[in-house]
Amino acid sequence: MRAVLIFLSMISFLWLTDPMSALSRNEAGTAPTASENWKQLDSYAEQLYRASVAGELEQVQKTIYAMGKLFTETTFNGATSVEGVRALSDAIVQVKRILPSIQLKQEELMRATARLRLAADALAHPKQAMWLQYEQVLRDDMTRMLSTNQNKEWIPYANRWLEHVDRIRPAATIQRDVQTIELMESLTQFIRDTAKGKHSPKEANEALNKHGDTVLSQLFGTEKANPTLGPPTYTPLPFQWIFMLAFIVCMMLAYVGFQKYRYEQNAIRPGSFRNKR
């Protein structure tokens, strides 16, 4: 009996330490992978947003607690940058801070859960993220701002711009590099300062005309960002093309010379028909 127990213990030890066995256990789902956790975070965020829209505060509290716990147990290597992880963390914390408020406003909670929903979706769906659909929304906001220089009309349009940028900020930070986010923040801060009266709408519109389209194109990936400074790119022509161009030029010169020679031989010159005396 003792020999049997020793034998079974050895088999169990070999099975636990065998890398192929460990791989099969992971594939079986006993230990969720990082990507599975990202999808679960996205699922929590969706549940959270629906619960906030329905006014189910108890469900919101349970879900945000579960989401926060899963966040601390998840690694984000290869998914986003340090800034992206922080943006997602801040979005979770913002929802947690709103909930204990004595005068909880459902609209404020919905805005916070919407930001978190877009951020988690950007993490789980890097190629088809929902926040990318906001490009046209921001372009429409920009068109409305550019249509007027009057404070009374311009400021409400600017506030809509600021609200939409705030909603996608965590998601954009997860998927875009620091330089692109800084460009967006710089333009957004100028609009925010203008809405507070630090600049005129005309000045803000001049900045939008100059930089707005470029910032949005880089942010949403519809235009490849070019370096501000750097040597101009120059690609020399292949030798074959140079030889061919030179040959064509020589042939054209030879043809022109031949035609000139024929003209000189056959031309009718003044005085050819003068009567000889």
Side-chain angles (χ1 to χ4, degrees):
M1 183 66 180
R2 185 178 179 182
V4 173
L5 291 174
I6 293 174
F7 176 78
L8 292 175
S9 299
M10 292 178 64
I11 293 296
S12 299
F13 175 79
L14 291 173
W15 182 77
L16 289 172
T17 55
D18 181 36
M20 292 305 295
S21 298
L23 179 61
S24 63
R25 288 196 303 275
N26 288 335
E27 292 176 351
T30 56
T33 62
S35 61
E36 290 172 341
N37 282 352
W38 303 338
K39 292 179 181 179
Q40 184 59 49
L41 287 170
D42 181 41
S43 178
Y44 280 146
E46 182 179 2
Q47 296 172 28
L48 194 66
Y49 179 71
R50 290 181 178 178
S52 68
V53 172
E56 300 172 352
L57 297 183
E58 184 177 352
Q59 183 62 36
V60 170
Q61 291 176 343
K62 290 181 179 179
T63 307
I64 195 63
Y65 173 79
M67 191 174 185
K69 185 175 184 298
L70 180 60
F71 176 85
T72 60
E73 299 171 353
T74 303
T75 60
F76 299 91
N77 294 334
T80 185
S81 61
V82 174
E83 292 80 10
V85 175
R86 181 177 179 180
L88 180 60
S89 174
D90 289 346
I92 294 174
V93 171
Q94 186 178 15
V95 175
K96 288 184 175 181
R97 287 178 177 174
I98 292 174
L99 286 173
S101 177
I102 297 176
Q103 296 180 340
L104 177 63
K105 296 181 180 179
Q106 185 179 5
E107 184 178 351
E108 184 179 1
L109 179 62
M110 288 173 57
R111 283 199 297 265
T113 55
R115 294 172 80 248
L116 182 54
R117 174 75 182 96
L118 293 175
D121 176 80
L123 182 69
H125 306 93
K127 295 184 179 180
Q128 295 180 335
M130 291 190 296
W131 76 274
L132 296 174
Q133 300 173 6
Y134 276 77
E135 178 178 10
Q136 191 58 48
V137 174
L138 289 178
R139 289 189 180 278
D140 290 343
D141 291 340
M142 186 170 66
T143 300
R144 294 187 183 97
M145 285 188 286
L146 292 172
S147 67
T148 179
N149 288 328
Q150 303 298 320
N151 275 313
K152 186 177 180 181
E153 299 175 355
W154 189 90
I155 291 179
Y157 297 149
N159 287 333
R160 289 189 62 182
W161 163 286
L162 294 172
E163 179 183 349
H164 291 147
V165 169
D166 180 69
R167 188 176 302 170
I168 68 171
R169 181 180 285 106
T173 306
I174 287 173
Q175 291 197 337
R176 295 293 180 258
D177 56 45
V178 177
Q179 291 80 6
T180 301
I181 299 302
E182 286 299 322
L183 282 174
M184 178 191 74
E185 291 294 347
S186 178
L187 181 61
T188 303
Q189 185 60 48
F190 194 86
I191 294 175
R192 186 180 294 111
D193 290 342
T194 304
K196 292 179 180 179
K198 296 182 179 180
H199 308 286
S200 68
K202 183 178 180 180
E203 291 175 305
N205 284 345
E206 288 175 355
L208 285 172
N209 270 320
K210 188 174 182 180
H211 305 291
D213 185 69
T214 300
V215 170
L216 292 182
S217 295
Q218 292 186 19
L219 179 64
F220 290 96
T222 52
E223 177 183 273
K224 185 177 180 181
N226 293 320
T228 304
L229 298 176
T233 57
Y234 172 73
T235 304
L237 287 173
F239 177 77
Q240 294 86 346
W241 283 95
I242 296 175
F243 179 79
M244 184 177 294
L245 289 173
F247 177 76
I248 292 174
V249 171
C250 291
M251 291 296 295
M252 290 180 64
L253 291 175
Y255 178 76
V256 171
F258 176 70
Q259 292 295 331
K260 185 178 180 180
Y261 173 77
R262 289 183 59 191
Y263 174 80
E264 292 291 340
Q265 295 297 317
N266 302 318
I268 302 175
R269 297 177 176 82
S272 298
F273 296 96
R274 292 177 182 174
N275 294 324
K276 296 181 179 179
R277 294 181 181 178

